[in-house]
Amino acid sequence: RIQIPYHCNVRCDRVNEELVRHMRQTGCSCVTFAIESGNDEYRKTYLNRDMRNNKIIESAALFRKYGIRLRTQNILCLPGQDLEHDIETLDLNIKCKPTMAWASILQPFPNTELAQTAIDLKQWNGNIDNINKGYFDESPLSLPHKRERELLQKLFMLACNSKIVRFFIPILIRIPLFKTYAKLYAWHKKRVYKKLYEAIN
């Protein structure tokens, strides 16, 4: 009734066409939903998110159909996963075609199931002093291909929006240009946020 543009968070397993149509009619201009991991079984077992990749892709397509911009949320450097899992997450995001593919690096907060998983897998010693204040630079876990995965986080959003960058990801994440990638990430993030929220602003 008021027709004020708004942004909201949704869950893919709650999305259907009727809901999306009503959201658009009431002024919804953009939504955020969490993918977290591109692997069905990991997402169900360790993240308590029992939703299949095809449902995630279908939900994203519905929002695009009704002209609602989409921001996805993802977690890289998860315990028990490898670089290939993070690439799998990137590729699922590409299939969803979001305006913004937001990706963070896991921080194992105490008393969470993921923190205990990291301890059980001997990928973290439980020292909370190693937890970073932010989610976008380094992982405190001992992980395979750790540095490449941290570099992927900086390129994740851009790779989702650019076929050329995605093609060269296997090479780019092996080039130690963290500061350069960080600047590129900041530039692209600002640009995409402006596009994501332009209807609200």
Side-chain angles (χ1 to χ4, degrees):
R1 294 176 181 176
I2 301 174
Q3 288 296 308
I4 294 177
Y6 67 90
H7 170 245
C8 66
N9 295 343
V10 298
R11 280 183 60 97
C12 296
D13 53 350
R14 301 290 190 269
V15 170
N16 57 54
E17 186 159 5
E18 182 181 9
L19 173 65
V20 176
R21 183 172 64 252
H22 284 311
M23 290 172 68
R24 185 57 179 168
Q25 290 172 347
T26 58
C28 181
S29 63
C30 50
V31 298
T32 292
F33 68 63
I35 294 176
E36 311 300 22
S37 169
N39 186 276
D40 277 338
E41 292 306 316
Y42 189 96
R43 191 167 54 241
K44 178 181 178 180
T45 303
Y46 294 99
L47 304 177
N48 297 317
R49 302 184 70 81
D50 188 9
M51 56 185 75
R52 294 293 173 179
N53 287 351
N54 59 353
K55 176 58 177 175
I56 293 173
I57 295 169
E58 289 171 4
S59 297
L62 278 175
F63 288 116
R64 293 199 311 275
K65 176 181 178 180
Y66 285 90
I68 298 176
R69 296 178 180 88
L70 173 63
R71 181 180 73 162
T72 58
Q73 293 179 322
N74 307 274
I75 306 174
L76 305 185
C77 298
L78 286 162
Q81 290 199 339
D82 201 340
L83 173 61
E84 293 306 313
H85 290 99
D86 288 345
I87 296 293
E88 186 179 7
T89 300
L90 171 61
D91 288 338
L92 176 56
N93 275 263
I94 290 173
K95 291 177 182 178
C96 291
K97 301 178 183 178
T99 305
M100 179 182 197
W102 189 93
S104 63
I105 293 174
L106 175 78
Q107 301 301 318
F109 294 121
N111 301 317
T112 62
E113 292 183 15
L114 283 176
Q116 188 58 51
T117 297
I119 293 173
D120 293 343
L121 294 173
K122 301 187 185 306
Q123 293 183 331
W124 185 52
N125 61 11
N127 184 0
I128 62 173
D129 292 332
N130 293 336
I131 297 176
N132 296 302
K133 294 180 179 180
Y135 307 99
F136 309 107
D137 294 319
E138 298 179 347
S139 169
L141 275 58
S142 298
L143 299 169
H145 304 291
K146 177 178 174 178
R147 194 55 173 168
E148 289 95 329
R149 297 168 73 179
E150 292 170 344
L151 290 169
L152 176 62
Q153 186 276 327
K154 291 288 175 276
L155 298 169
F156 192 97
M157 190 188 308
L158 186 57
C160 194
N161 295 139
S162 169
K163 291 182 180 179
I164 295 176
V165 176
R166 171 61 187 95
F167 180 80
F168 286 106
I169 279 293
I171 298 173
L172 293 173
I173 60 176
R174 287 173 170 79
I175 302 175
L177 296 174
F178 192 87
K179 290 183 178 180
T180 300
Y181 291 166
K183 290 179 180 179
L184 184 62
Y185 167 77
W187 169 79
H188 188 64
K189 182 179 179 181
K190 182 178 180 180
R191 177 171 169 267
V192 174
Y193 261 128
K194 183 178 180 180
K195 182 178 180 181
L196 187 69
Y197 295 122
E198 63 184 357
I200 295 179
N201 298 331

